């Protein structure tokens, strides 16, 4: 007779199996089986006595005592530190003569020069300060305002600086009546892409063909990398990785793009226009003098701008030209004052004794005429 598995599963236990067997035999009228209860034996513990049990108990008591002392010390130290901080806040800070712990290579004297950045106005974020547009100079050309907005907004240049070099005499080598714009690119790729888009903007919108020195075209960089790999493979038998110096020597990394717009309409100072018109009236010949002003855009990476530092160079030249102009004006005023002082005594004498003055001056005039 086969029993299903659902019935046999709870019969795994020996006691359950005997109970089921007795129940089955009693149901069919068979003799009952006697159930022997197992004799429970007392488990005798065999714990080995440790010889150093008393010593360990003493150590445990000592550890508990030390922990209680540590808790009391911690509470006392926390209270002392709270009192010290309150006293330090109430007392004014005292100057210390301790040397700074900053290593020498992180000190400002050993850091590379950083490019000039716009200082943030109170309540202005540093990002807004970097993207602030420079103010327009007096008598600007019509092209200057849209050019600045395109460089900052469309091309994404930061720290724009405008240098008005129209008052420098002699004029710079880039052209007379020069206005220079400086911007910082975020990477080498951003530099070349922005310069290329700026040149395309000037060609399409204003019909100006700028000269971009240092600009790598869209396929020029790939061509130079391919030529360098071929040259390296021919020389060493394998393609070697180039360094920063070799990149600079081969023109792969420039870090500086100079976009020269040339002469644009407007932007001429009034004194320069008056001087140009005077020279045109006095000089007779062929040709016409140039009008307007020159505009140059200098786009550089942050490292290159800090290394070249064109702002300090041109600001020094502007300050020198301004001092020379002030010195010339002061010299002319002194000469005019001396001339007035020399003519005043003769006028006074003529008012006091007009007849004597005329008789005294007459022979001199006749002698001069002879």
């Amino acid at each position: 007779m086969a029993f299903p598995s659902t019935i046999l599963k709870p019969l795994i236990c020996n006691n359950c199996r005997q109970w089921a067997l007795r129940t089955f035999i009693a149901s069919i009228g068979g003799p009952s089986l006697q159930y022997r209860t197992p004799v429970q034996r007392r488990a005798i513990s065999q714990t080995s006595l440790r010889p150093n049990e008393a010593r360990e108990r003493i150590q445990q008591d000592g550890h508990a005592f030390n922990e209680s002392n540590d808790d009391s010390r911690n509470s006392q130290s926390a209270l002392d530190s709270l009192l010290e901080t309150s006293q330090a806040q109430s007392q004014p800070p005292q100057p210390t003569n301790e040397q700074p712990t900053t290593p020498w290579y992180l000190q400002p004297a050993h850091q590379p020069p950083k490019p000039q950045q716009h200082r943030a106005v109170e309540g202005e974020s540093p990002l807004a300060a970097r993207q602030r547009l420079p103010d327009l100079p007096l008598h600007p050309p019509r092209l200057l305002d849209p050019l600045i907005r395109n460089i900052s907004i469309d091309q994404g240049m930061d720290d724009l600086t405008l240098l008005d070099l129209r008052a420098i005499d002699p004029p710079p080598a880039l052209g007379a009546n020069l206005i220079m714009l400086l911007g910082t690119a975020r990477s080498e790729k951003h530099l070349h892409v922005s310069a290329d888009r700026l040149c395309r903007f000037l060609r399409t919108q204003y019909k100006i063909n700028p000269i971009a020195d240092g600009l790598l075209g869209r396929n020029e960089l790939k061509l130079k990398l391919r030529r360098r790999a071929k040259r390296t493979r021919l020389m060493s038998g394998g393609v070697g990785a180039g360094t920063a110096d070799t990149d600079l020597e081969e023109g792969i990394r420039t870090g500086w793009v100079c976009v020269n717009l040339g002469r644009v309409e407007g932007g001429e100072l009034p004194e320069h226009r008056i001087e140009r018109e005077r020279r045109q009236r006095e000089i007779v010949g062929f040709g016409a003098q140039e009008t307007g002003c020159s505009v140059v855009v200098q786009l550089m990476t942050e490292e290159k701008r800090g290394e070249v530092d064109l702002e300090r160079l041109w600001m020094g030249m502007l300050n020198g030209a301004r001092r020379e102009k002030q010195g010339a004006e002061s010299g002319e005023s002194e000469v005019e004052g001396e001339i007035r002082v020399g003519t005043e005594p003769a006028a006074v004498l003529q008012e006091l004794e007009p007849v004597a003055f005329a008789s005294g001056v007459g022979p001199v005039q006749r002698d001069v005429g002879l």
Side-chain angles (χ1 to χ4, degrees), residues 235-370:
M235 293 178 61
S236 60
V239 180
T243 59
D245 297 335
T246 57
D247 291 346
L248 290 175
E249 291 174 0
E250 297 178 3
I252 297 175
R253 283 181 58 253
T254 57
W256 184 1
V257 177
C258 177
V259 182
N260 191 350
L261 279 68
R263 283 281 174 174
V264 297
E265 184 180 357
E268 191 175 9
L269 296 177
E271 53 268 21
H272 292 173
R273 185 176 63 255
I274 294 172
E275 181 67 19
R276 178 176 54 81
E277 293 175 354
R278 183 187 64 81
R279 283 181 295 181
Q280 284 181 353
R281 289 192 302 266
E282 294 178 355
I283 300 174
V284 179
F286 297 98
Q289 295 185 0
E290 293 181 347
T291 60
C293 67
S294 302
V295 179
V296 175
V297 181
Q298 306 281 4
L299 305 178
M300 291 172 279
T301 57
E302 188 172 0
E303 297 81 8
K304 195 69 176 180
R305 188 171 180 179
E307 178 184 355
V308 177
D309 200 4
L310 289 179
E311 291 92 339
R312 184 166 59 180
L313 172 65
W314 288 112
M315 288 303 296
M317 298 185 67
L318 279 174
N319 294 332
R322 194 177 295 112
R323 286 193 298 267
E324 290 180 0
K325 186 177 180 180
Q326 292 177 357
E329 291 178 354
S330 62
E332 291 178 358
S333 61
E334 290 177 0
V335 171
E336 292 177 357
E338 291 176 359
I339 293 174
R340 292 197 192 95
V341 170
T343 55
E344 283 179 359
V348 172
L349 291 174
Q350 187 176 4
E351 292 177 358
L352 293 176
E353 298 179 357
V355 178
F357 185 79
S359 61
V361 173
V364 176
Q365 292 179 350
R366 287 193 298 270
D367 293 343
V368 171
L370 293 174

Side-chain angles (χ1 to χ4, degrees), residues 13-20 22 32-39:
C13 179
N14 188 17
N15 295 331
C16 297
R17 195 178 302 157
Q18 291 181 4
W19 172 81
R22 287 197 304 272
S32 61
L33 298 176
Q34 294 181 1
Y35 177 72
R36 295 181 181 181
T37 58
V39 179

